[in-house]
Amino acid sequence: MTDLAPPITAEAVGWTVEVVSEPFTLGSEDVDVAVARLGEHAEQNGWDLVVGVTELPLRADDGRYLLAAIDARRRSAVLSLPALGGVRVQARARHAVRGLMDEMAEPATREDQRLPLPRISARGRLLMAMVLANRPWMLAAGLKSALVAALATGAVATIEPTVWSLAISLSGWRLAAAMVASIAILIAWIVIDGELWDRPEDDSPASRERSRLYNTSTILTLTVGIVICYLALYAVNLAWALFVLDTAVMSDALGRAVELPDLFLLTWFVASAATLGGALGTGLESDDSIRAATYSKREEERRARLAGERA
């Protein structure tokens, strides 16, 4: 993962602020490793203070997630962006960096500090930030083969009389079950085909918790992204059905009256079938394409580095 300091403005006369962006090792998820490395950077570059801003979640030895940690001896601190939540991140980061700088510049500061998140909201805040960083609304654009397969499946299914008969005969709860099943199957397919499941580096509780956090963010990212894709498929297939289908022709073919509201039920069923078609389309995507579509650049780099270390 990459530690990236956001641009800040020195408010006190005499301060010179230098912004550096560079990759950190996976061990930087350990807060002690992170602040130690930052301290080394400060010594090597002759910096008075150093604040590292990382897109990794930080976790203390007691298991609590941290907003920030300060190493008073080395005049270094590390701030976790996910701990700020998923909204107004830049403004909150600037405010937090200034606060950390003020704290380290205070001569009375002698002890290392850990700034934990509230236990109740910590995990939810981290997950929201991690999911938003992954931009789930961009999933469809990154999986072009899956999108083409889904659209083709929907276009063919919409004009198939057998599909008309099946869709109109299904009850509402069965159509809902088909929708949930198709979304779940596509999520599982992407996770398996793209090898997105994060495995613990060892059997330690910290490592297992870290994997659970990343896997949960992956599932939530895919769920949000695929639901958005499903709604888009529904809209496209509904427009196609309204354009090409005639309820009178459908009534003659099915031997029963078909009205305009039935097209909405047909489109619902077709959207589920198209989603399954999209699952087959993901098989044409490379693992790198799937990871690029699912994760932010920083998370993609973290996983690629992890895969390289395990190889």
Side-chain angles (χ1 to χ4, degrees):
M1 192 64 71
T2 299
D3 283 359
L4 179 61
I8 59 176
T9 301
E11 297 177 347
V13 176
W15 279 109
T16 300
V17 178
E18 183 176 350
V19 180
V20 178
S21 176
E22 64 177 57
F24 262 17
T25 63
L26 292 171
S28 297
E29 292 174 284
D30 183 282
V31 65
D32 294 324
V33 173
V35 293
R37 287 205 59 194
L38 289 169
E40 293 172 1
H41 276 277
E43 293 176 2
Q44 293 171 2
N45 293 278
W47 295 335
D48 296 312
L49 304 174
V50 58
V51 179
V53 182
T54 177
E55 289 183 328
L56 294 170
L58 297 175
R59 200 160 179 256
D61 293 336
D62 62 1
R64 297 190 66 179
Y65 287 105
L66 301 176
L67 170 64
I70 300 174
D71 186 333
R73 295 170 298 173
R74 294 188 174 96
R75 294 290 183 90
S76 62
V78 59
L79 171 69
S80 173
L81 282 182
L84 297 172
V87 296
R88 299 181 62 247
V89 175
Q90 288 190 350
R92 290 179 176 180
R94 291 190 182 100
H95 179 76
V97 168
R98 292 190 185 103
L100 292 171
M101 291 176 64
D102 291 341
E103 184 71 21
M104 289 187 293
E106 174 60 45
T109 301
R110 291 290 182 267
E111 297 181 356
D112 294 352
Q113 299 181 43
R114 300 290 186 267
L115 305 179
L117 294 173
R119 290 186 182 274
I120 296 177
S121 63
R123 190 178 181 86
R125 182 186 299 187
L126 289 171
L127 285 172
M128 181 176 70
M130 293 168 73
V131 170
L132 290 177
N134 288 337
R135 301 172 302 167
W137 52 88
M138 298 294 292
L139 182 66
L143 299 177
K144 296 180 178 61
S145 296
L147 180 61
V148 170
L151 291 174
T153 302
V156 173
T158 299
I159 59 175
E160 175 57 48
T162 303
V163 176
W164 301 346
S165 179
L166 181 59
I168 295 174
S169 67
L170 292 176
S171 60
W173 75 266
R174 289 190 175 184
L175 287 169
M179 175 184 67
V180 173
S182 65
I183 291 174
I185 290 172
L186 180 53
I187 292 173
W189 185 277
I190 292 176
V191 170
I192 295 171
D193 188 49
E195 299 181 354
L196 304 184
W197 200 251
D198 190 273
R199 294 177 176 81
E201 299 174 48
D202 50 53
D203 292 331
S204 66
S207 182
R208 291 198 299 270
E209 169 58 22
R210 184 181 302 127
S211 289
R212 283 194 294 268
L213 182 68
Y214 282 117
N215 287 331
T216 302
S217 73
T218 296
I219 296 301
L220 290 176
T221 298
L222 290 174
T223 299
V224 174
I226 291 171
V227 167
I228 292 174
C229 293
Y230 188 96
L231 295 176
L233 283 172
Y234 183 93
V236 171
N237 289 324
L238 179 60
W240 174 244
L242 293 173
F243 180 74
V244 302
L245 296 182
D246 186 301
T247 54
V249 174
M250 295 177 67
S251 297
D252 291 340
L254 299 179
R256 53 160 291 186
V258 177
E259 299 179 353
L260 187 62
D262 291 322
L263 294 183
F264 290 86
L265 296 179
L266 169 63
T267 302
W268 191 2
F269 181 74
V270 167
S272 299
T275 300
L276 292 177
L280 297 177
T282 60
L284 302 176
E285 304 281 1
S286 67
D287 292 347
D288 290 340
S289 297
I290 293 175
R291 283 190 286 269
T294 306
Y295 298 123
S296 67
K297 184 172 180 59
R298 301 292 185 251
E299 174 63 5
E300 186 185 354
E301 290 173 354
R302 188 195 77 86
R303 290 177 178 261
R305 193 175 298 115
L306 178 60
E309 291 185 2
R310 287 174 174 167

